[in-house]
Amino acid sequence: AQSVTQPDIHITVSEGASLELRCNYSYGATPYLFWYVQSPGQGLQLLLKYFSGDTLVQGIKGFEAEFKRSQSSFNLRKPSVHWSDAAEYFCAVVANQAGTALIFGKGTTLSVSS
Amino acid sequence: ETGVTQSPTHLIKTRGQQVTLRCSSQSGHNTVSWYQQALGQGPQFIFQYYREEENGRGNFPPRFSGLQFPNYSSELNVNALELDDSALYLCASSLVRGGAVNNEQFFGPGTRLTVL
């Protein structure tokens, strides 16, 4: 069965420092991968997605992610974190060929210290 | 362009009651998906509606049911509420063209359901 693992429950990063959030997936075929962000009281906002092609994907708000098939990973990165980046981050994979369902990880809470 | 909206924002029910949650999809979208997000967890897929029919379902019992209307808005109904149904319920809409799977889902702010 498809699954997504986000090993880090909570990460604290200093403002201006770089960020990497880890995501590992389990899926037999070519995965469709997503990163979403959720601020308190808000719905999920798509940061970026990977379907095929270039393994380094650029997203909104200065985020990028790299797909590594050999490691079954899709880690999210940002070179310089801003205080407004504090939020919950979710990695997700499309669960089936019909594309009807997203399977989410449990999320990583990002705190930004000054 | 209007985004995905959900109502109500918050809801408190007691065990055994029934609840209906509503979702208006983003303009131009034809597909609605519902997710349950328990506290401290990622969203879990409940089901999806396309062209007013259920088009995929997650591991949820039949007391979770839904509807999609001709204007693509949707309802999630939960019967015989249990304490574990307390969660944030998220609606997401998307535009599905010709069976393509790479359709981005746009999420609403959610409805917070508390079951006492």
Side-chain angles (χ1 to χ4, degrees):
Chain A
Q2 300 86 355
S3 65
V4 174
T5 302
Q6 294 181 247
D8 305 305
I9 296 173
H10 191 183
I11 284 181
T12 299
V13 175
S14 299
E15 190 169 15
S18 64
L19 168 71
E20 183 170 27
L21 302 182
R22 296 183 291 165
C23 171
N24 293 98
Y25 66 90
S26 171
Y27 188 61
T30 302
Y32 297 103
L33 295 158
F34 304 79
W35 274 99
Y36 283 88
V37 61
Q38 185 177 36
S39 299
Q42 303 292 318
L44 298 168
Q45 181 183 23
L46 181 68
L47 289 174
L48 46 77
K49 58 189 177 185
Y50 171 79
F51 295 144
S52 64
D54 193 347
T55 56
L56 186 61
V57 180
Q58 301 298 321
I60 63 171
K61 303 184 180 185
F63 286 92
E64 66 177 28
E66 186 170 11
F67 170 62
K68 293 185 177 180
R69 185 186 298 275
S70 61
Q71 298 177 17
S72 297
S73 70
F74 188 56
N75 293 349
L76 182 71
R77 301 194 294 246
K78 186 169 185 178
S80 177
V81 168
H82 188 260
W83 64 266
S84 60
D85 293 324
E88 186 94 22
Y89 290 80
F90 294 95
C91 181
V93 63
V94 168
N96 52 39
Q97 285 299 98
T100 55
L102 288 169
I103 300 295
F104 286 86
K106 292 188 176 182
T108 297
T109 300
L110 172 66
S111 298
V112 180
S113 61
S114 56
Chain B
E1 183 179 270
T2 306
V4 178
T5 60
Q6 294 186 241
S7 63
T9 305
H10 296 87
L11 202 52
I12 299 175
K13 292 285 188 179
T14 56
R15 268 188 308 174
Q17 286 189 309
Q18 178 266 342
V19 69
T20 297
L21 309 182
R22 295 179 174 81
C23 171
S24 292
S25 57
Q26 184 166 312
S27 176
H29 286 181
N30 58 10
T31 302
V32 174
S33 303
W34 285 92
Y35 293 82
Q36 181 196 66
Q37 186 178 17
L39 202 60
Q41 302 294 315
Q44 283 196 294
F45 176 69
I46 303 175
F47 44 55
Q48 183 184 82
Y49 276 82
Y50 173 62
R51 294 184 175 176
E52 302 178 49
E53 292 192 359
E54 191 177 286
N55 184 42
R57 188 179 182 94
N59 189 26
F60 281 81
R63 60 189 185 84
F64 285 78
S65 63
L67 284 172
Q68 186 183 31
F69 300 100
N71 66 354
Y72 304 120
S73 65
S74 176
E75 287 182 354
L76 164 65
N77 299 288
V78 188
N79 293 322
L81 284 167
E82 301 177 0
L83 296 179
D84 285 349
D85 295 334
S86 295
L88 180 68
Y89 287 85
L90 295 164
C91 167
S93 73
S94 56
L95 175 62
V96 174
R97 300 187 189 92
V101 300
N102 55 349
N103 50 88
E104 177 181 346
Q105 296 189 21
F106 292 80
F107 284 81
T111 293
R112 175 72 63 186
L113 173 65
T114 301
V115 182
L116 303 176

